[in-house]
Amino acid sequence: MIENKKKPNPIDIHVGSRIRLRRTMLGMSQEKLGENLGITFQQIQKYEKGTNRVGASRLQNISSILNVPVSFFFEDAPGENTGNQPGMAEASSSNYVVDFLSSSEGLQLNRSFVKISDPKVRRKLVDLVKALAAEAEE
């Protein structure tokens, strides 16, 4: 069972992916986050891959820099008895949102969409995307 020691813990992988998600949502580079923390971008890469575990004080600093509560990094985390917790059905169904925002296209769409101030234009854009998606299903 020695090979398991080399495999990152699923929680560490999840926390790292949430760090990456939030960092990219803000348009922040690994270099900039590392600079704010006083560490190298290579260390940020290791955190984001789950290769290196993020310590409690460092995670607190990251949450402050990325302007989210520490709990953000543990949302939808793999764990025991998640199916028995109330509200978990909604949380697991939100994984597609994380996947979407983790993609380059999703990030570009999200950043551009929030810049549209006119609610009518936003509504029409949503209607357009729904129509295109329905067309693709046919």
Side-chain angles (χ1 to χ4, degrees), residues 132-138:
L132 291 171
E135 205 172 274
E137 288 177 356
E138 292 175 0

Side-chain angles (χ1 to χ4, degrees), residues 45-80:
Q45 285 177 331
K46 291 176 182 178
Y47 286 154
E48 291 183 356
K49 289 178 186 170
T51 308
N52 285 11
R53 181 172 289 163
V54 183
S57 59
R58 174 104 351 117
L59 192 58
Q60 179 66 47
N61 288 342
I62 292 170
S63 75
S64 176
I65 292 164
L66 299 180
N67 199 28
V68 289
V70 172
S71 60
F72 170 84
F73 302 112
F74 296 95
E75 289 174 8
D76 298 329
E80 297 176 21

Side-chain angles (χ1 to χ4, degrees), residues 69-118:
V70 172
S71 60
F72 170 84
F73 302 112
F74 296 95
E75 289 174 8
D76 298 329
E80 297 176 21
N81 303 325
T82 54
N84 299 336
Q85 295 175 3
M88 287 308 290
E90 298 90 27
S92 63
S93 70
S94 70
N95 285 342
Y96 74 94
V97 175
V98 173
D99 292 343
F100 172 72
L101 289 174
S102 296
S103 73
S104 172
E105 297 89 353
L107 275 171
Q108 290 173 28
L109 276 171
N110 188 55
R111 284 188 189 137
S112 299
F113 186 82
V114 296
K115 290 178 184 175
I116 301 169
S117 57
D118 186 340

